[in-house]
Amino acid sequence: QLQLAESGGGLVQPGGSLRLSCAASGFTVDYYAIAWFRQAPGKEREGVSCINSRDGTTTYADSVKGRFTMSRDNAKNTVYLQMNSLKPEDTASYYCAADRALVCSLYRTYDYWGPGTQVTVSS
């Protein structure tokens, strides 16, 4: 059974950092396109970052480019989202998602989703 489990969320001050993890089970991460999405209360879901299956090319939303870095550890079957220089507007529930496409996208839905982890940026 294919499952995703996010962790690493929490409360951080503006300018701080967090690293989110998305642990996969039931499939190997380098054969799947995987994305990070976020959703704040009252707002639409937003694609934040994604990574292609196989070649590992990453894509970022303009709102996080230069601050967030997505990576993949095949040995641990986990993907990460390193978030630096966090801003209050980054506050949201963060979700990882996956499907068997070769190329990821921030603008489509995915077949498999984790339950999410909350990130709050506040002083």
Side-chain angles (χ1 to χ4, degrees):
Q1 183 178 1
L2 193 149
Q3 290 185 324
L4 298 164
E6 304 93 340
S7 62
L11 173 64
V12 63
Q13 291 186 343
S17 298
L18 282 175
R19 187 178 78 158
L20 304 184
S21 300
C22 174
S25 58
F27 71 103
T28 51
V29 293
D30 56 335
Y31 281 86
Y32 280 67
I34 299 178
W36 285 98
F37 288 83
R38 66 186 181 186
Q39 188 164 22
K43 294 188 177 181
E44 292 189 354
R45 187 176 65 196
E46 175 189 18
V48 173
S49 178
C50 68
I51 187 167
N52 290 352
S53 65
R54 307 311 291 151
D55 72 6
T57 301
T58 52
T59 301
Y60 299 92
D62 287 345
S63 58
V64 306
K65 204 170 290 184
R67 301 187 298 122
F68 290 12
T69 303
M70 185 173 182
S71 61
R72 184 174 69 198
D73 186 331
N74 296 339
K76 294 184 178 180
N77 214 34
T78 300
V79 296
Y80 301 97
L81 185 67
Q82 177 67 43
M83 306 186 296
N84 299 329
S85 302
L86 282 161
K87 304 175 181 180
E89 51 264 44
D90 295 317
T91 296
S93 293
Y94 283 72
Y95 303 87
C96 62
D99 65 24
R100 288 223 62 173
L102 284 175
V103 179
C104 72
S105 171
L106 302 180
Y107 307 106
R108 62 174 173 79
T109 192
Y110 285 68
D111 294 332
Y112 306 100
W113 293 80
T117 186
Q118 177 67 35
V119 172
T120 302
V121 184
S122 175
S123 55

